[in-house]
Amino acid sequence: MKRRPKIGLIAGGLGAYWPQFPDLLPTLQESSRYVSERITGYDADIVDVGFISDAQEGAVAAEKLRAAGCDLIVGFLTTYLTATMLMPVAQRSGAPVLLINLQPTESMDHATFDTGQWLAYCGACPLPEMANAFTRAGVEFRSVSGYLRDERAWARIGAWIRAAGVRKVLRHGRHGLMGHLYPGMYDVSTDLAMVNAHFGGHVEVLEFDDLRVRVEEVTQSEVDARVAEASEIFEVTDSVNEEDFAWGARVSVGLDRLVADFDLDSIAYYHRGLNGEQHERLGAGMILGASLLTARGVPAAGEYELRTSLAMLIMDVLGAGGSFTEFQALDFTRGHVEMGHDGPAHLAISAKKPLLRGLGVFHGKRGWGVSVEFDVATGPVTLLGVGQTRDGRYTLVAAEGVVADGPHMKIGNTTSRVDFGRDPGEWTDDWSASGVGHHWALGTGHRLAELRAVASLLDVDLITVS
C-alpha cells in the first residue's frame, strides 16, 4: 500500500487584534481554509488543527499534532503572532516544520487600506521572530513566503510536501538485499546500520534460496500469463529465445511473491553462480521481473547496489521514475554523456515501447537470457546518487541535464545521451569527484528543488554538479 505523508496544518494570529478589528479574523480564517484545501490537493493526508489565537490554544494544538504522528508540520503565519504560540508545536511534534507566509494578494491597496486590512498582509512580520526563537531552541525550520494564489510559492510548498513523502517512505521502508557484493566493488559496499541511521527503515537480508523456493512453486499457467503480460508491455525481438523468455517470466512471478512476502519497498541483488547452476540461472533471470517491479514503484537494482535502489526509490516517490544507470561513453562530437545499464529499468521513462532482447552473454556477469532495452525519452532529466564521505556521512549527489537525440547501441541496455551544456569530459570529472559511486538513478524532469527539500528533511548534504 502506498504510504502518503501526513501533513499537519496550524494557522494562527494574535488574539488581541480580534476585538480591535472585527473583520480581520474572518478574513484570516478564509485564507486558512484556502491553504487547507490546497494542501489536501496534494497526494497527502492532512491533519488540520484549525486556527489559534494565543499560547494556550497553541499548546492544545501541539498535543493534537504530536498524537497524530505527522511527517511535516505547516505553520501558516496569517498575521503577527508571538513565538510562544508555535514553539510548543515545533518542540513536541518531532516532525520537520515549514512556516508559510502567504498574504491575500500580490500587494495592498495602499490608498484605501486601514490598519485592520493591513494586518491581513502582515504574515511576514513574525517570520524573523519565529526563526530567531526556533534557532535559539535548536528547532530546524524552513519557510516559504508569497501570496495565497502565488503558484511559485505553491511550487515550493509542494516540493516540501513531496519531500515529506520521501522521508516517510524511507523511514518506514523495507529494503531487500539479496545475494552478495559484486567482487571488488568497494564503492557498492554498504554498512546496513548507516542506511538505518541516515534514512530509517529496515534492510532485510535475503538469500537467493528465498527466491529459489518461490520460483519452484510457480505454475505453468502463471508463467504463461506473465509471458502474455510481458508481450503486451514489451516489443519482443526475434533474438528472444522462448525458453529464456519463459524462465524470465517464471522468475518474475517468484520475485513478486518474494517482495510481497517480505513486504519490500525496494530490492538490490547480485549472485555470480557457476556453470549454469540454479542460482546463476536465477540471477540471470531477474531482469524482466525486476523491471516490472521497478515500473510498479518497487525499485530493483542489480550488482547489490542498495544505495542506488534507495536513490531510485526517492526519484520514484517524487514522480520522476528512476532507472539504474552508469556511464557508457562520452560523445565529444555531439557534447553528450552517454549513460545506461544492462538489467532492471524503469519503463515509465522510455521514449517508446520498450524492447526485450535476447543475449547470449551478460557482459561482466555470468548467465544469459532476456534483457530490457529502450532509449530514455528526450527532455529534462535529473541524476541522483547516494554517496558517502570519509567520516561515513551519506550525501545526495544530483545533477540536471537534458536527454538529446542521437545514435544508441542495441545491446539490451537502457540508454540515454545527456547534454549538461558543457564539455562532457569536464562534467564527467566533476561528477566522479562528488563521491557518487559508479551507479545512480536517472529520472525525468528537473528535480533539484525537490531534492534540496528531501536533503533538508533527511538532514544530509546535497551535492550538485552543474
Side-chain angles (χ1 to χ4, degrees), residues 366-385:
R366 297 196 62 85
W368 64 93
V370 295
S371 188
V372 172
E373 175 181 305
F374 62 71
D375 303 343
V376 176
T378 57
V381 293
T382 301
L383 316 182
L384 175 67

Side-chain angles (χ1 to χ4, degrees), residues 215-224 250 253 257:
V215 170
E216 289 173 351
E217 294 170 351
V218 176
T219 65
Q220 186 59 47
S221 63
E222 290 174 311
V223 172
D224 294 341
R250 183 178 296 275
V253 176
R257 289 180 179 168

Side-chain angles (χ1 to χ4, degrees), residues 113-135:
F113 271 29
D114 60 20
T115 302
Q117 290 167 303
W118 155 60
L119 286 172
Y121 284 72
C122 201
C125 181
L127 183 56
E129 176 177 335
M130 298 296 169
N132 178 281
F134 283 19
T135 299

Side-chain angles (χ1 to χ4, degrees), residues 77-303:
L77 312 180
T78 66
T79 186
Y80 176 72
L81 68 164
T82 61
T84 190
M85 294 169 63
L86 284 187
M87 186 69 82
V89 173
Q91 289 177 314
R92 298 179 193 176
S93 69
V97 176
L98 171 65
L99 301 176
I100 61 173
N101 152 44
L102 302 177
Q103 64 188 37
T105 64
E106 294 94 325
S107 62
M108 295 186 292
D109 185 347
H110 295 75
T112 64
F113 271 29
D114 60 20
T115 302
Q117 290 167 303
W118 155 60
L119 286 172
Y121 284 72
C122 201
C125 181
L127 183 56
E129 176 177 335
M130 298 296 169
N132 178 281
F134 283 19
T135 299
R136 290 161 66 185
V139 174
E140 294 286 338
F141 73 95
R142 301 94 189 144
S143 67
V144 172
S145 293
Y147 58 93
L148 274 180
R149 289 167 174 79
D150 181 355
E151 293 307 318
R152 296 168 302 175
W154 280 105
R156 294 165 61 198
I157 293 168
W160 287 111
I161 293 173
R162 285 186 289 274
V166 171
R167 181 176 181 267
K168 178 161 191 171
V169 168
L170 292 176
R171 283 168 66 89
H172 297 274
R174 292 178 53 81
H175 312 292
L177 188 61
M178 183 171 68
H180 61 80
L181 184 71
Y182 189 105
M185 281 189 175
Y186 289 164
D187 65 308
V188 170
S189 62
T190 300
D191 183 337
L192 305 190
M194 289 297 96
V195 174
N196 178 267
H198 287 88
F199 298 150
H202 167 76
V203 179
E204 184 74 19
V205 177
L206 302 167
E207 303 282 355
F208 255 77
D209 283 326
D210 291 315
L211 177 61
R212 175 185 58 79
V213 296
R214 288 165 175 81
V215 170
E216 289 173 351
E217 294 170 351
V218 176
T219 65
Q220 186 59 47
S221 63
E222 290 174 311
V223 172
D224 294 341
R226 185 56 51 93
V227 166
E229 176 189 357
S231 298
E232 289 293 321
I233 295 172
F234 297 91
E235 179 182 337
V236 182
T237 66
D238 293 339
S239 61
V240 172
N241 176 283
E242 288 187 10
E243 183 179 342
D244 293 342
F245 193 4
W247 175 246
R250 183 178 296 275
V251 174
S252 175
V253 176
L255 189 57
D256 284 357
R257 289 180 179 168
L258 181 79
V259 166
D261 290 347
F262 287 96
D263 192 24
L264 301 180
D265 295 285
S266 71
I267 186 169
Y269 65 91
Y270 176 74
H271 185 82
R272 180 169 54 188
L274 187 65
N275 295 336
E277 51 84 30
Q278 59 183 349
H279 294 92
E280 178 185 325
R281 292 291 289 133
L282 284 169
M286 291 282 288
I287 294 174
L288 173 60
S291 296
L292 293 175
L293 277 174
T294 301
R296 298 206 308 269
V298 182
E303 297 177 21

Side-chain angles (χ1 to χ4, degrees), residues 55 112-113 179 184 214 249 253 318 351 399 418 432 442 447 466:
T112 64
F113 271 29
R214 288 165 175 81
V253 176
L318 292 177
V418 187
S432 301
L442 183 147
R447 307 284 177 169
S466 59

